[in-house]
Amino acid sequence: MDTITQVLQDSNLYRYKGFCFFKELMQPEYIDSLQDFEIREDDVFLITYPKSGTIWTQQLLSLIYSEGYRNGTEQMDTSERIPWIEFQSLSKIDHNRRPSPRLFTSHLASHFVPRGLKNGKGKIIYVMRNPKDVIKSLYHFEAMAAYAETSPDFGHFFQKFLDGEVFAGSWFDHVREWYTHKNYFNILLIKYEDMIMDLRSVVKQMCTFLEKELDDESLDTVVKRATFNEMKKDPFANKENMPEDFFDFKIGKFMRKGTIGDWKNSMTVAQSEAFDKIFQEKMGDLDLSFTWDIKLESHM
Ligand code: PPS
């Protein structure tokens, strides 16, 4: 087995094969065993770097696949409908006994996912978000999640993020690896910002990829029930059903701001410029751009 190392700036995490895992929630043996997890043709995996639109896309998938939920008649936690594959201690679901089509969620890097997916079997939706907003969102999340180590201030967290010493490791590595390996998978790449700017078009794109035909009325309902304001009212979307003491809701809500450009309220000009330079160095060779601000709609 590859070496397991301590993450210097966060005692709750360990590093394994270039990725940072929560010590208490994830075991390397289990993560390795996922390589052999048998994939079915109609499996769908939602994969994200943390804070990039996971719960939002879970909600969309849930609404696309489940008409009862679309009418609000069925209350069910999205993480039961679209369970995580890597958090084996959080869910006791036996995936092999689940009826098809199975929907999964994961934050894993591409080198950890079941090898069956690498042969184009099953479908993957990979959602990306501009990393400055990911930093801001993750900074708040870290403060409210009991199992994460809270940074004393934004500057400290900013450095931790740049060093890849946060859960899931380096954002740059995650996005680069998925992006450059996209041809090995049957994958649809989506950007959080496109969902903000035109959710209906993104849902249509998803439906085409998933081969799910929705009529206009159903499409409208899906879009309406996945807006930030609708989801903000939903205790499941806010993870209020998680085990007690998992999150401190006095500190904040999971459904926090749901926008583009909130990083500007925390990042100094110097931090932003330093980030731009690193972004250019690490990602500049990729044909990949992000929307950093909703008003200016500037692209990088
Ligand atoms: S996690 O912990 O990795 O699963 O978090 P994730 O769900 O990926 O990201 C949480 C952020 O997504 C925002 N969110 C939304 N934005 C717009 N519209 C909708 N419907 C929506 N649902 C979730 C959520 O508010 C978090 O972003 P921030 O910036 O913190 O508000």
Side-chain angles (χ1 to χ4, degrees):
M1 187 183 274
D2 283 48
T3 329
I4 296 169
T5 54
Q6 176 59 48
V7 168
L8 297 177
Q9 299 170 77
D10 195 322
S11 62
N12 292 354
L13 300 173
Y14 68 90
R15 188 180 289 280
Y16 180 58
K17 295 185 179 174
F19 195 92
C20 297
F21 295 97
F22 284 115
K23 284 180 187 165
E24 286 187 21
L25 301 177
M26 305 153 108
Q27 304 310 319
E29 296 79 10
Y30 177 76
I31 298 295
D32 280 343
S33 76
L34 292 175
Q35 283 291 309
D36 298 322
F37 181 79
E38 202 156 325
I39 296 297
R40 299 180 193 158
E41 288 291 350
D42 52 4
D43 282 343
V44 177
F45 279 70
L46 160 64
I47 303 185
T48 58
Y49 184 85
K51 299 293 146 198
S52 302
T54 323
I55 189 78
W56 194 2
T57 316
Q58 280 180 321
Q59 176 87 346
L60 289 171
L61 287 173
S62 191
L63 290 160
I64 290 170
Y65 276 85
S66 170
E67 299 203 29
Y69 195 56
R70 235 181 270 160
N71 300 327
T73 51
E74 195 186 335
Q75 283 292 308
M76 189 172 179
D77 183 354
T78 37
S79 66
E80 272 175 49
R81 203 188 293 278
I82 314 176
W84 296 87
I85 196 160
E86 62 264 29
F87 290 105
Q88 82 277 26
S89 59
L90 286 183
S91 133
K92 301 281 172 258
I93 298 170
D94 179 354
H95 296 299
N96 293 316
R97 296 171 70 98
R98 289 174 61 200
S100 293
R102 300 178 300 184
L103 308 176
F104 295 94
T105 309
S106 178
H107 283 319
L108 290 174
S110 70
H111 59 278
F112 289 114
V113 300
R115 68 169 66 84
L117 284 169
K118 289 174 195 144
N119 304 323
K121 209 173 172 188
K123 289 184 162 77
I124 298 177
I125 296 182
Y126 184 74
V127 186
M128 298 172 266
R129 184 181 191 184
N130 92 59
K132 289 184 178 174
D133 278 326
V134 170
I135 297 180
K136 178 74 189 274
S137 183
L138 200 51
Y139 172 61
H140 281 278
F141 182 73
E142 196 195 55
M144 64 182 282
Y147 52 87
E149 200 169 276
T150 305
S151 293
D153 53 50
F154 183 78
H156 182 273
F157 182 77
F158 180 75
Q159 192 55 51
K160 239 168 66 159
F161 185 92
L162 289 182
D163 295 340
E165 296 221 318
V166 291
F167 169 54
S170 158
W171 177 91
F172 303 100
D173 291 349
H174 202 282
V175 172
R176 168 175 282 280
E177 189 178 302
W178 273 107
Y179 193 72
T180 55
H181 288 77
K182 58 185 187 295
N183 293 340
Y184 296 104
F185 301 97
N186 185 7
I187 192 168
L188 174 70
L189 303 174
I190 286 179
K191 292 182 190 151
Y192 174 96
E193 292 77 19
D194 291 342
M195 290 163 74
I196 292 270
M197 291 186 290
D198 187 355
L199 185 56
R200 202 171 200 276
S201 295
V202 174
V203 173
K204 274 173 112 169
Q205 216 185 334
M206 273 186 200
C207 289
T208 306
F209 176 69
L210 297 167
E211 297 166 89
K212 296 286 289 182
E213 247 182 69
L214 294 190
D215 58 30
D216 279 352
E217 203 187 325
S218 304
L219 202 65
D220 289 342
T221 312
V222 169
V223 171
K224 186 170 166 278
R225 292 187 65 82
T227 58
F228 184 79
N229 287 339
E230 279 287 314
M231 287 179 62
K232 201 174 166 64
K233 294 183 276 188
D234 180 352
F236 287 122
N238 280 294
K239 313 230 177 212
E240 287 166 20
N241 57 315
M242 291 300 277
E244 223 182 308
D245 297 340
F246 220 73
F247 297 121
D248 185 347
F249 293 113
K250 288 195 285 308
I251 293 180
K253 274 195 150 217
F254 191 88
M255 297 291 297
R256 199 183 58 87
K257 285 216 169 163
T259 189
I260 310 172
D262 186 42
W263 58 271
K264 290 189 163 178
N265 297 316
S266 298
M267 222 176 261
T268 63
V269 172
Q271 283 168 338
S272 171
E273 285 175 1
F275 189 90
D276 292 346
K277 194 162 170 278
I278 294 167
F279 182 89
Q280 201 49 41
E281 280 162 18
K282 291 186 183 268
M283 311 298 277
D285 61 322
L286 300 179
D287 172 27
L288 185 60
S289 63
F290 288 95
T291 302
W292 305 89
D293 190 312
I294 197 161
K295 284 176 225 92
L296 299 172
E297 287 190 18
S298 60
H299 289 258
M300 230 173 166

